[in-house]
Amino acid sequence: MNLHVTDALICLKDDFGIEYVVCKIEYKIWETEEFEYRFTPVYPVIDLLDSNTFQGIPGIDLDKRKPEYVRKNIVPTFISERAPSNNREELWKLLESCNMQYLNQLEWLTKTDTHYVGDRLYVRKTTSAYENNITFNKLKRNVDIQKRLLEYICAGRSFSYEGFKIDDSNRSVCYNLLYRLFRRETERIKVLQADGIKQAKADGKYQGRKAIQIDELAFNDVVCKYKNKKISANDAAKKLGISLSTFYRRIKEHNDING
């Protein structure tokens, strides 16, 4: 019997840009069209979060502390409130925007540019740079090393750094210590930057951030593909080497200029 499996992670980011992996999610569908969703909460990471940042996973009672939550032949609330259904009007347009030929709601959530506004939670694929390659060689500032360590801790990873092992037995202690240092250093840097800008303005030397230079022909080509639903906004931003927010801003500027 044929079986298709999709794996992903449920994550969120705090006010300082640290990502927390709060749950693993698996979707299985058989050729009989029976399906199931399996949620595996990462409690050691969930326990690091306060109620202002994380209010739980909709439809899942985490207070029961179950190792897994399974939903068979039922689309979970977490999925249904974020992803389109098969009877969604103009569903094909949403699928085309994510380069998909048929609807897999979990896969769609890993590819869409749409952001759910009800909470901080989002879904991404299970692979990332820091999950596959733990390295600090190119990091020189203490604040960057602190952030990288926090990323590993908040991903639920167990690892060693300079001979010291961090795992679930000391995750909370290490997190609380590092987070205080990271937050203090981040705020100190912001103050220094603000003071530097203020002084530069007083000296008449501050001209603001320079706009990222983008090849006009390449930009027009990518925008054309994006507007025709041939590539997603994320793919378009990657092709141009800019952030998603910068891409949206340049699109607005382009539309304003061209009416």
Side-chain angles (χ1 to χ4, degrees):
M1 184 180 295
N2 291 332
L3 169 66
H4 180 74
V5 181
T6 304
D7 295 305
L9 300 173
I10 300 176
C11 309
L12 65 85
K13 286 188 178 180
D14 67 12
D15 294 336
F16 287 87
I18 301 297
E19 182 183 73
Y20 299 75
V21 177
V22 298
C23 188
K24 299 175 183 178
I25 182 171
E26 180 184 73
Y27 169 65
K28 293 181 179 180
I29 183 167
W30 289 265
E31 61 182 0
T32 60
E33 296 191 358
E34 291 189 333
F35 63 90
E36 74 172 28
Y37 286 87
R38 189 175 297 270
F39 294 79
T40 306
V42 186
Y43 291 112
V45 174
I46 290 174
D47 292 341
L48 303 176
L49 293 160
D50 59 44
S51 58
N52 291 324
T53 306
F54 178 64
Q55 296 82 39
I57 300 172
I60 302 296
D61 187 357
L62 294 177
D63 289 338
K64 293 182 178 180
R65 304 291 287 196
K66 290 183 178 181
E68 289 185 329
Y69 296 78
V70 181
R71 301 291 184 267
K72 293 186 177 181
N73 299 319
I74 298 174
V75 178
T77 301
F78 175 81
I79 299 293
S80 64
E81 67 183 11
R82 288 168 164 78
S85 62
N86 278 309
N87 58 5
R88 171 73 176 266
E89 185 177 350
E90 296 188 329
L91 175 63
W92 62 272
K93 288 186 177 181
L94 295 176
L95 296 179
E96 280 190 352
S97 69
C98 294
N99 297 320
M100 297 175 64
Q101 296 180 343
Y102 61 91
L103 180 60
N104 175 326
Q105 290 174 301
L106 182 58
E107 183 180 354
W108 186 84
L109 286 173
T110 68
K111 293 183 175 182
T112 184
D113 301 325
T114 303
H115 298 286
Y116 180 70
V117 298
D119 52 44
R120 296 182 184 226
L121 299 177
Y122 58 90
V123 177
R124 69 165 175 80
K125 295 180 180 179
T126 56
T127 58
S128 74
Y130 66 78
E131 284 176 345
N132 293 325
N133 184 24
I134 297 177
T135 177
F136 299 87
N137 295 338
K138 297 181 180 181
L139 303 179
K140 297 181 179 180
R141 299 190 307 170
N142 285 336
V143 68
D144 295 326
I145 294 174
Q146 291 162 1
K147 184 175 182 179
R148 183 64 57 82
L149 285 167
L150 285 168
E151 287 174 337
Y152 298 156
I153 290 171
C154 297
R157 297 292 306 277
S158 296
F159 62 98
S160 295
Y161 177 64
E162 295 188 351
F164 181 75
K165 186 175 182 179
I166 298 177
D167 55 26
D168 289 345
S169 68
N170 60 3
R171 189 176 307 279
S172 180
V173 173
C174 294
Y175 168 82
N176 289 329
L177 174 60
L178 273 170
Y179 200 85
R180 288 193 185 95
L181 293 173
F182 170 72
R183 185 173 59 189
R184 184 180 303 170
E185 184 67 7
T186 299
E187 292 172 345
R188 186 184 71 84
I189 290 173
K190 286 183 178 179
V191 170
L192 289 176
Q193 290 174 338
D195 289 345
I197 291 173
K198 184 177 180 180
Q199 185 60 50
K201 286 182 177 180
D203 296 340
K205 298 178 180 179
Y206 181 72
Q207 298 178 344
R209 292 177 59 184
K210 293 183 179 179
I212 299 173
Q213 298 300 311
I214 303 174
D215 182 87
E216 186 174 351
L217 291 177
F219 177 75
N220 290 334
D221 179 60
V222 169
V223 169
C224 182
K225 291 179 180 178
Y226 168 69
K227 289 186 175 180
N228 289 319
K229 306 296 184 180
K230 293 183 178 179
I231 60 174
S232 68
N234 273 324
D235 290 336
K238 288 178 182 178
K239 286 180 180 293
L240 295 172
I242 58 179
S243 68
L244 186 59
S245 59
T246 299
F247 175 70
Y248 282 133
R249 186 169 64 252
R250 292 298 174 87
I251 284 284
K252 184 179 183 302
E253 292 171 355
H254 180 269
N255 292 339
D256 289 344
I257 293 173
N258 294 280

